[in-house]
Amino acid sequence: MSDWNAIAPGVHQYRSAPFDLSVVVIEGADELLVVDTGADPFEGEAILAEIRSRFGRAPSQVVNTHAHFDHTFGNQAFAGGSDADAAIHGHAGVASHFVRYEGPRLAAWLEDPTREPGRRWGDVRLTPPTHPVGRTTSLDLGGRRVELRPQPAAHTDTDLVVFLPAERVWIVGDLVEQSGPPMYGSGSYPLDWPGVLDSLVHEMRPGDAVVPGHGRVVDRAFVRRQADDLRLIADRIVEAHDRGLDAAAALAAYDQWPMPVAGLAGAVERGYAFLDGAAPGEA
Ligand SMILES: [Zn+2]
């Protein structure tokens, strides 16, 4: 699946295979901005070529919605020294998340290429943001204002929402997923995630466009439902922990979950670690 989708005038989603990653291009009179860069340099270069052929120029600004590999390992195709020579913006925690999670993940894949075959892991240079974002920041692309809003820990400790105030478009990375269930991946905060979504829902309006990290554009009602699902899971983790159930028993204790149980083991483990007093990031 590789296709462009118009979200608003000058705002475009490109769904990049193979992870159905949302790449978003925002056009300004002076500059082009791209959100997220693909899972390896090859995908990053393909995205850059796709942007050049469609818009006739390369992006001078890149934003990462969070640190996970499928959103950042294409950064080097856009970074200083590349054709695009772009500034890269991302949550101030991305560099340390790379050290803790994405670096070791890459090392494991290099050691055992059968785990993720067909990707250019050997060519990946971890490329953290050149512009770490510690608080809400505005960029002016020329007649178009873009807000970068770092979030409290939720899907990861590096989530950053891109908001277009004039167009009412929210680009939220994996805080919301549409083509698959929300991912409790490396470094997730299952107990805090629903509250972060609640705050975003509170600011969203019914007609707003919300671009998930993977999948088609959704609306406020979709985000409301996903926040409620994440809240139910968080509440059950706390309840099962209170009852003294181990992680496997916690999942077995309820007949139905709002998403496939296979994806929830990590959520329970992380939730339990926090309830047992592991410091944030130490779980
Ligand atoms: Zn992610």
Side-chain angles (χ1 to χ4, degrees):
M1 186 184 332
S2 299
D3 213 357
W4 289 97
N5 164 37
I7 302 168
V11 185
H12 315 265
Q13 180 197 32
Y14 174 72
R15 293 173 68 170
S16 182
F19 296 111
D20 189 20
L21 172 73
S22 286
V23 173
V24 180
V25 172
I26 303 169
E27 296 179 82
D30 306 323
E31 296 189 77
L32 209 59
L33 179 149
V34 62
V35 182
D36 288 342
T37 60
D40 70 6
F42 181 74
E43 188 179 353
E45 286 160 16
I47 290 167
L48 178 57
E50 185 72 40
I51 292 171
R52 270 191 194 289
S53 84
R54 189 177 173 96
F55 300 98
R57 52 181 169 160
S60 53
Q61 310 278 347
V62 169
V63 180
N64 291 138
T65 57
H66 62 296
H68 280 158
F69 78 98
D70 48 327
H71 301 256
T72 59
F73 280 13
N75 278 1
Q76 72 199 64
F78 298 85
S82 74
D83 281 2
D85 204 16
I88 302 177
H89 307 266
H91 191 289
V94 169
S96 55
H97 189 105
F98 275 3
V99 171
R100 183 178 289 276
Y101 298 106
E102 307 305 313
R105 186 203 303 276
L106 180 60
W109 284 341
L110 285 170
E111 209 149 285
D112 180 6
T114 61
R115 287 172 58 179
E116 286 285 338
R119 311 290 295 189
R120 276 172 46 188
W121 304 125
D123 292 342
V124 174
R125 269 184 293 113
L126 285 177
T127 306
T130 53
H131 293 57
V133 182
R135 60 191 161 100
T136 297
T137 303
S138 270
L139 299 178
D140 181 359
L141 304 178
R144 192 178 305 273
R145 193 160 69 83
V146 178
E147 279 182 17
L148 312 183
R149 299 182 172 198
Q151 300 295 305
H155 171 66
T156 65
D157 55 1
T158 61
D159 301 308
L160 181 150
V161 167
V162 179
F163 177 54
L164 282 77
E167 297 79 6
R168 299 297 304 179
V169 174
W170 303 81
I171 303 158
V172 297
D174 292 356
L175 288 168
V176 176
E177 292 201 45
Q178 186 277 325
S179 50
M183 228 346 230
Y184 292 97
S186 51
S188 70
Y189 288 72
L191 306 181
D192 302 312
W193 189 347
V196 172
L197 274 193
D198 285 344
S199 300
L200 288 171
V201 168
H202 188 72
E203 283 192 80
M204 289 172 180
R205 299 175 192 163
D208 289 1
V210 182
V211 187
H214 306 268
R216 65 170 171 73
V217 174
V218 297
D219 62 5
R220 179 182 188 273
F222 183 97
V223 181
R224 171 78 274 153
R225 287 193 297 276
Q226 200 151 94
D228 291 345
D229 287 349
L230 294 170
R231 171 72 64 198
L232 176 68
I233 292 164
D235 287 349
R236 286 180 177 178
I237 291 171
V238 173
E239 185 180 85
H241 186 268
D242 284 350
R243 287 167 60 193
L245 302 177
D246 67 27
L251 289 173
Y254 301 92
D255 283 343
Q256 289 201 322
W257 291 88
M259 55 191 79
V261 174
L264 296 176
V268 176
E269 262 171 46
R270 284 282 290 182
Y272 272 29
F274 287 116
L275 292 166
D276 290 333
E282 296 298 319

